[in-house]
């Protein structure tokens, strides 16, 4: 088993709160509790309540559940699950000034080890900067038992770095947004390793799942080092957040974060490639000496057809329509998603200064 009893003993945690849901309790939670029973560490458990559609949403209700169920003398939280369990645990543990430990049960998102907690507040998704876990224990056997759709989602979240890294450089060149070459290279390395090992990931082989999880951790670490989400989140994530909020408004069952990001990356890359034939010179926004730099970045963007092929190979969905997202929502998101975050992306530029359409 992945968990070392020493970790608690070394840190002298005498009382911990274990957070999971129905599924993650079965895949890792029960085994973890058995290990804890062999120590003198006391524990409480909180099984997150799913909504009527079977989703656990990181909203006021679920946050309230954990706050109510956690005793004031809990010394550490343990998140056993995927993204949402981590969001809730990260937020509540931070508010209680208590550390938390991460045990991912699927290689599905890249923020297990970051500080950002995306929370749904009054139906709107807001990312709060809270705290990173003090440790992450990712067990390969648990990860390999994750549903294929969650593996595909993790791959989609990594593939989103194609456009997020483009947007980060674009914002840096055009608006002087903060930039760090070391963080850029780490995130790019996460992307490259997944693209190179796509077939191992698609087959669910140990090698592939390990590469994917390491890429997700590396991307999360890059965000943690940088202190902001620029490396890992550009216009493709803004589209994904927009779609998610539309689904919440409509009361529809949620889609996996990475599944949306993967399809959104293809949409954004297709839009951005149109700028290869566009002259930025003379728009009064982009200095003429920067035109060549931007064109070079655009040429380096992976072709949308290649992105489709990669997502197809891992069994993911390549279009919003395949995910059940209507053309109306897609069109609206392309017009409005740039307003969700203060980030100078090419989508932002497109909507404010130039109106390319798909
Ligand atoms: Zn993401």
């Amino acid at each position: 088993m992945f968990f070392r009893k020493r970790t608690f003993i070394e840190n002298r945690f005498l009382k911990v709160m274990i957070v999971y849901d129905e599924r993650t309790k079965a895949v890792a939670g029960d085994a973890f509790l058995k290990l804890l029973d062999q120590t003198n560490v006391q524990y409480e458990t909180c099984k997150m309540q799913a909504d009527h559609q079977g989703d656990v949403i990181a909203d006021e209700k679920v946050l309230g559940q954990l706050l109510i169920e956690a005793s004031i003398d809990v010394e550490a939280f343990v998140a056993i699950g995927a993204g949402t369990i981590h969001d809730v645990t990260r937020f509540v543990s931070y508010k209680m000034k208590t550390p938390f430990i991460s045990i991912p049960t699927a290689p599905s998102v890249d923020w297990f080890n970051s500080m950002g907690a995306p929370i749904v507040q009054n139906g709107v998704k807001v990312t709060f900067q809270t705290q990173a876990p003090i440790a992450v224990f990712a067990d390969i056997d648990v990860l390999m038992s994750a549903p294929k759709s969650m593996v595909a989602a993790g791959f989609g979240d990594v593939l989103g770095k194609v456009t997020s890294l483009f947007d980060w450089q674009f914002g840096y060149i055009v608006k002087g947004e903060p930039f760090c070459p070391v963080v850029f290279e780490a995130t790019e390395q996460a992307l490259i390793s997944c693209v190179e090992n796509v077939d191992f990931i698609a087959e669910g082989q140990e090698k592939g799942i390990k590469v994917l999880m390491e890429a997700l951790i590396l991307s999360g670490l890059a965000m943690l080092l940088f202190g902001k989400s620029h490396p890992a989140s550009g216009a493709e994530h803004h589209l994904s957040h927009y779609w998610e909020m539309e689904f919440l408004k409509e009361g529809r069952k949620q889609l996996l974060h990475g599944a949306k990001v993967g399809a959104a990356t293809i949409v954004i890359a297709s839009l951005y490639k149109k700028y290869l034939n566009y002259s930025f010179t003379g728009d009064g926004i982009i200095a003429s000496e920067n035109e060549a730099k931007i064109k070079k970045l655009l040429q380096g963007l992976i072709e949308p057809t290649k992105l489709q092929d990669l997502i197809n190979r891992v069994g993911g969905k390549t279009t919003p329509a395949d995910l059940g997202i209507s053309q109306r929502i897609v069109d609206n998101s392309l017009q409005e998603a740039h307003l969700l975050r203060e980030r100078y992306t090419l989508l932002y530029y497109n909507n404010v200064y130039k109106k390319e359409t798909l």
Side-chain angles (χ1 to χ4, degrees), residues 110-111 157 161 232 237 257 261:
D110 71 351
W111 68 83
D157 206 15
K161 309 321 166 212
H237 270 72
H257 167 78
V261 170

Side-chain angles (χ1 to χ4, degrees), residues 298-318:
L298 285 167
Q299 281 159 359
L301 265 185
I302 299 179
E303 289 295 334
T305 49
K306 166 86 174 160
L307 295 172
Q308 275 170 353
D309 174 55
L310 288 166
I311 292 180
N312 267 329
R313 282 208 243 172
V314 296
K317 302 274 200 298
T318 57

